[in-house]
Amino acid sequence: LSAQTFDAQLTGVITDPSGGAVAGTKITATNKATGVITTATSDDTGLYRFLRLAPGQYSVNAVATGFKSFEQSNVVLQVNDVV
């Protein structure tokens, strides 16, 4: 018997223009309705994960030393989404 969850997940990989992984990138996901900011850091393969985000609309920002910051607005997560 498994418990129901009402969260969503957001996962991605940070790469440079040549396709190489960018480790240590700070990623923030800001819930536009609540203002709650959740942070993650990419690992050695560039992978980052937000495992338990509340459903809603998010703005996601990535910042890495030596690179231009990137922002993706209007990321919509529904209950049980794995994006």
Side-chain angles (χ1 to χ4, degrees), residues 1 6-7 12 14 16-17 20-21 23-25 27 30-31 38 40 42 44-45 56 60 62 66-67 79 83:
L1 189 57
F6 298 97
D7 299 320
I14 306 295
D16 64 21
T25 302
I27 301 98
T30 305
N31 184 307
T38 307
S42 63
D44 290 343
T45 66
V60 180
F67 293 92
V79 172
V83 179

Side-chain angles (χ1 to χ4, degrees), residues 16 48 55 68:
D16 64 21
Y48 68 89
K68 183 178 176 182

Side-chain angles (χ1 to χ4, degrees), residues 14 22-27 39-44 46-50:
I14 306 295
V22 181
T25 302
K26 181 181 177 186
I27 301 98
T39 62
T41 302
S42 63
D43 66 15
D44 290 343
L47 178 70
Y48 68 89
R49 291 184 178 143
F50 294 98

Side-chain angles (χ1 to χ4, degrees), residues 2-13:
S2 62
Q4 278 189 306
T5 61
F6 298 97
D7 299 320
Q9 295 181 31
L10 180 62
T11 303
V13 176

